[in-house]
Amino acid sequence: MDEEIEIPTFFLCPISLEIMKDPVIVSTGITYDRDSIEKWLVSAKKNSCPVTKQDITDVDLTPNHTLRRLIQSWCTLNASYGVERIPTPRPPISKSEIEKIIKDSASSHQNLVKCLKRLRQIVSENATNKRCLEAAGVPGFLATIVSNNGLDSSRDEALSLLYHLETSETVLKNLLNNKKGNDIVNSLVKIMQQGIYESRAYATLLLKNILEVADPMQIMTLKPTVFTEVVKILDDRISHKATRAAMHILVNVCPWGRNRHKAVEAGAIFMIIELLMDESFSSDKRGQEMAMVALDLLCQCAEGRADFLNHGAAIAVVCKKILRVSQTASDRAVRVLLSVGRFCATPALLQEMLQLGVVAKLCLVLQVSCGSKTKEKAKELLKLHARVWKESPCLTRNMILAYPS
């Protein structure tokens, strides 16, 4: 607008405080701009009206045509002030239309292909359509195709669509708890094992999302093949997103039950260390943090510590990450070193830690601005083996005498 003009307050969306382009009414009677209320309903944990705080009992949004026409007329009247006319929005697809598309797909494989192509088009149009697809049961329809269609190309298309739908937590839980026999976790793991690279990536990303909403019992009963395929994704490095998703899965599930042991048996520790040694991974700060968190979790069991020490570069790699990535990575790296230093200490290991600069790095942790818990763990490890590391110029006399032999 070239000049300041007064905009009627009822033209403004209560959420964005901007002129509404597509005003819609929710079940509480309040009008919002469609884009703003859609984003609110997707991000909010429960469907509540931002103005009245009442529950929105019906997620269908009713277009407020009268208000939209008033806004358009006002824009036209104030065109001389630089106000642009708001175009008439394209009506979103209806739930009944989507249900008909799904129903028609059952008659033949050709119609199924057409159905998936049409759903892809609908998904790409706007966020409103995604919510409508979800309400029409499309995620369950796609999950059935993913579970039942073997190596068919329609399975790969359904998998891609299911990921791009960005389904809500409630829908993900429904997919996980499906009583029709379609085990979505096993289906995704099978795709991770046999699918093309793109489908393996989508399967990994979806598995991460689904396991985030799983209950503890479901996580504790994960099969060893889940961990085997997650580690293979880390090994193949098919995409940056897939690698990070695989690491995220390990971080989320390893604290539960015997999952640490399953991950160790699948070779997770060796693969994480190899990944941390990869220069292309060094630019991914969040990825390195998750790798260090996973390594710390796995080193909390004896098998994990043994596997860690079997890798010739493990100590050096972890030591290098201290004070070079982030506070989180430094803390987890010190925790890993404390685990092996406390439970696996041998003269050879302690000498190796001294030669690789672990003692010097731990002393530096005590001197710089670092988390108090990280400092405590570093100090504990230094005191634990101070008599062995007494030749290091970094150790003070008080620390050497703190734990006499």
Side-chain angles (χ1 to χ4, degrees), residues 140-395:
F141 168 70
L142 295 174
T144 300
I145 298 172
V146 169
S147 299
N148 296 341
N149 275 48
L151 298 176
D152 194 284
S153 59
S154 60
R155 182 205 64 179
D156 296 327
E157 179 65 16
L159 177 66
S160 172
L161 274 169
L162 188 56
Y163 171 71
H164 286 105
L165 265 179
E166 300 173 344
T167 51
S168 65
E169 182 177 314
T170 300
V171 171
L172 288 174
K173 285 183 177 179
N174 289 339
L175 294 180
L176 188 60
N177 299 319
N178 192 341
K179 301 300 182 182
K180 296 179 180 179
N182 298 322
D183 188 336
I184 188 66
V185 172
N186 287 342
S187 299
L188 293 176
V189 170
K190 187 175 180 181
I191 296 172
M192 291 164 65
Q193 183 179 34
Q194 301 177 353
I196 59 176
Y197 267 29
E198 185 179 26
S199 292
R200 291 179 68 202
Y202 283 134
T204 307
L205 292 163
L206 267 173
L207 183 62
K208 176 190 82 73
N209 293 343
I210 287 174
L211 291 179
E212 283 179 340
V213 302
D215 61 48
M217 185 56 66
Q218 289 169 322
I219 293 176
M220 286 190 285
T221 54
L222 288 173
K223 297 178 181 178
T225 51
V226 174
F227 299 88
T228 300
E229 297 312 318
V230 167
V231 171
K232 283 183 180 177
I233 294 295
L234 292 177
D235 186 17
D236 292 344
R237 302 172 204 181
I238 54 181
S239 76
H240 173 76
K241 282 186 175 181
T243 298
R244 184 179 283 195
M247 198 68 73
H248 207 289
I249 291 170
L250 290 178
V251 169
N252 281 348
V253 305
C254 280
W256 299 94
R258 289 188 54 81
N259 287 344
R260 285 189 184 91
H261 304 274
K262 297 173 189 175
V264 170
E265 289 171 3
I269 285 184
F270 180 88
M271 200 49 59
I272 291 171
I273 295 170
E274 290 293 312
L275 197 59
L276 288 168
M277 293 171 64
D278 190 338
E279 286 298 323
S280 63
F281 191 64
S282 62
S283 60
D284 183 5
K285 176 183 173 181
R286 181 58 183 150
Q288 290 186 87
E289 287 178 343
M290 286 194 292
M292 292 309 306
V293 172
L295 208 54
D296 174 31
L297 288 169
L298 297 175
C299 283
Q300 290 175 22
C301 67
E303 296 93 333
R305 292 188 291 272
D307 251 25
F308 177 82
L309 292 176
N310 282 337
H311 193 295
I315 298 291
V317 168
V318 170
C319 179
K320 186 178 180 181
K321 298 304 173 183
I322 299 175
L323 303 177
R324 294 191 64 172
V325 179
S326 68
Q327 171 56 43
T328 298
S330 295
D331 180 65
R332 294 295 179 154
V334 172
R335 286 170 61 110
V336 170
L337 294 174
L338 179 58
S339 289
V340 296
R342 179 188 290 154
F343 298 108
C344 308
T346 63
L349 175 62
L350 297 178
Q351 189 60 33
E352 180 187 0
M353 294 175 81
L354 180 63
Q355 291 174 347
L356 291 174
V358 171
V359 178
K361 187 65 74 78
L362 293 175
C363 289
L364 187 58
V365 166
L366 299 181
Q367 298 173 37
V368 300
S369 177
C370 200
S372 59
K373 290 186 178 180
T374 307
K375 288 178 181 286
E376 289 172 10
K377 292 180 180 68
K379 192 171 184 179
E380 181 182 348
L381 182 54
L382 288 170
K383 283 185 174 182
L384 195 59
H385 302 297
R387 302 296 282 178
V388 179
W389 291 333
K390 61 184 178 182
E391 301 302 324
S392 172
C394 303
L395 291 182

Side-chain angles (χ1 to χ4, degrees), residues 34-192:
R34 183 184 293 276
D35 185 59
S36 296
I37 191 62
E38 285 283 355
K39 290 178 180 176
W40 169 273
L41 292 174
V42 169
S43 61
K45 290 187 176 180
K46 61 179 183 177
N47 293 343
S48 60
C49 177
V51 172
T52 67
K53 309 304 180 187
Q54 296 175 332
D55 288 342
I56 297 177
T57 54
D58 186 354
V59 293
D60 287 339
L61 305 175
T62 305
N64 192 333
H65 296 300
T66 301
L67 180 57
R68 175 179 54 76
R69 293 189 186 103
L70 282 173
I71 293 173
Q72 289 176 323
S73 297
W74 180 85
C75 290
T76 301
L77 289 172
N78 290 279
S80 59
Y81 294 99
V83 179
E84 295 183 5
R85 186 179 183 278
I86 294 171
T88 301
R90 182 178 178 181
I93 193 165
S94 67
K95 181 179 176 181
S96 60
E97 288 179 87
I98 297 169
E99 289 172 342
K100 185 178 185 305
I101 293 171
I102 294 174
K103 185 179 179 181
D104 292 344
S105 71
S107 58
S108 69
H109 182 268
Q110 186 178 4
N111 284 344
L112 175 61
V113 173
K114 288 181 180 179
C115 167
L116 294 174
K117 186 176 181 181
R118 177 65 180 127
L119 291 176
R120 167 76 66 180
Q121 182 185 3
I122 295 169
V123 167
S124 64
E125 286 176 356
N126 52 56
T128 304
N129 285 350
K130 290 183 180 181
R131 284 185 59 82
C132 194
L133 289 168
E134 187 173 299
V138 170
F141 168 70
L142 295 174
T144 300
I145 298 172
V146 169
S147 299
N148 296 341
N149 275 48
L151 298 176
D152 194 284
S153 59
S154 60
R155 182 205 64 179
D156 296 327
E157 179 65 16
L159 177 66
S160 172
L161 274 169
L162 188 56
Y163 171 71
H164 286 105
L165 265 179
E166 300 173 344
T167 51
S168 65
E169 182 177 314
T170 300
V171 171
L172 288 174
K173 285 183 177 179
N174 289 339
L175 294 180
L176 188 60
N177 299 319
N178 192 341
K179 301 300 182 182
K180 296 179 180 179
N182 298 322
D183 188 336
I184 188 66
V185 172
N186 287 342
S187 299
L188 293 176
V189 170
K190 187 175 180 181
I191 296 172
M192 291 164 65

